[in-house]
Amino acid sequence: AVSQMVTLSNLLLKKYSNGSSDDSFLQHLELLSDVAHNSLSLIDTLSEYAHAGRNSRRFQTISSNRIINNVLKNLQGDIQQAQAQVHIEALPEVYGDMVSLQQLVQNIISNSLKYRKRDLPPLLTISAEETVDEVRIEISDNGIGCPQGKVGEIFEPFVRLHTEEVSGHGVGLATCVKIVQQHEGKIWATSGVDKGMTVYFTLAKNKMKPLDG
């Protein structure tokens, strides 16, 4: 029904935006179109969050570089528009589900691009540290950041700390939590106002049994 509303509102805008209708009518059509698009976006976001971390995944040993490269291809348009630079250090293999881990990394990088400083091109650095059993991936940016005392809130669903500056539904990083939990890892962040943000998450290096649920 929402997708039909989007289609209808777009058709009406196209039909009546040639000057034959009064401004008030067009404003109402534009408002209808915006509401429809936002509703459809919210539904897609909620669906993504609801399905994150499901057990129907294919766990295998994966190249972290392959995950990153796939994500950068998916976000190529956004990266170019933001004039962002992405520095990738040597990354090890991890054990997990390729689709889920791509979604994890893509949500984090998308977040960095959204919360960039408007007067400074984004600079992202992706690095990793290894222990005997796990890998800790770090994704750092030079964006607007947030108070360190509020960093934990960014991983809660529907919480947005910069509502007046960036559009969105506040579900991207909450989805990341579910994915990392499915992989029996941990996720956290460090930040500061105007000091950028670094998101950390851990993944197993070797075969592990996915959580039930």
Side-chain angles (χ1 to χ4, degrees):
V2 177
S3 60
Q4 292 174 337
M5 187 189 302
V6 171
T7 302
L8 178 60
S9 61
N10 287 340
L11 288 173
L12 289 172
L13 275 174
K14 184 176 181 181
K15 182 177 181 179
Y16 294 106
S17 60
N18 57 3
S20 59
S21 300
D22 59 62
D23 291 341
S24 177
F25 179 70
L26 286 177
Q27 287 176 0
H28 281 86
L29 275 182
E30 289 173 354
L31 178 60
L32 172 63
S33 179
D34 289 343
V35 170
H37 279 92
N38 289 337
S39 298
L40 190 60
S41 173
L42 178 58
I43 290 172
D44 289 341
T45 299
L46 290 173
S47 177
E48 176 184 293
Y49 179 69
H51 287 86
R54 292 288 180 87
N55 267 334
S56 56
R57 306 298 188 189
R58 182 185 176 189
F59 281 73
Q60 58 186 322
T61 300
I62 311 169
S63 164
S64 296
N65 288 100
R66 182 182 173 193
I67 296 171
I68 300 299
N69 289 334
N70 288 346
V71 169
L72 294 183
K73 287 179 182 178
N74 292 341
L75 296 177
Q76 184 175 5
D78 293 335
I79 291 172
Q80 290 178 346
Q81 182 179 14
Q83 298 181 323
Q85 294 185 15
V86 182
H87 176 66
I88 306 171
E89 299 183 4
L91 302 175
E93 292 184 335
V94 295
Y95 188 80
D97 174 70
M98 171 66 83
V99 175
S100 297
L101 295 182
Q102 283 184 188
Q103 183 181 359
L104 166 66
V105 173
Q106 185 160 316
N107 286 4
I108 295 172
I109 293 179
S110 294
N111 207 63
S112 292
L113 295 176
K114 280 184 180 181
Y115 294 100
R116 63 185 184 271
K117 294 178 180 178
R118 299 306 164 187
D119 58 347
L120 185 68
L123 175 62
L124 283 73
T125 301
I126 304 172
S127 59
E129 291 189 9
E130 294 184 74
T131 65
V132 175
D133 299 319
E134 68 179 17
V135 175
R136 187 182 76 184
I137 306 291
E138 303 178 12
I139 302 180
S140 301
D141 65 50
N142 62 342
I144 60 177
C146 71
Q148 180 61 35
K150 290 185 173 291
V151 167
E153 297 180 20
I154 66 175
F155 295 107
E156 298 177 9
F158 310 112
V159 172
R160 298 173 57 230
L161 301 182
H162 303 282
T163 55
E164 74 284 356
E165 300 166 10
V166 181
S167 62
H169 303 295
V171 178
L173 291 182
T175 300
C176 292
V177 172
K178 295 183 70 173
I179 294 172
V180 172
Q181 288 175 343
Q182 172 72 11
H183 288 74
E184 298 187 14
K186 298 178 181 178
I187 184 169
W188 69 99
T190 58
S191 185
V193 178
D194 291 328
K195 294 183 178 180
M197 179 175 292
T198 300
V199 177
Y200 308 83
F201 58 90
T202 60
L203 298 169
K205 292 174 62 176
N206 305 305
K207 188 173 182 179
M208 35 74 70
K209 181 180 179 181
L211 293 172
D212 295 329

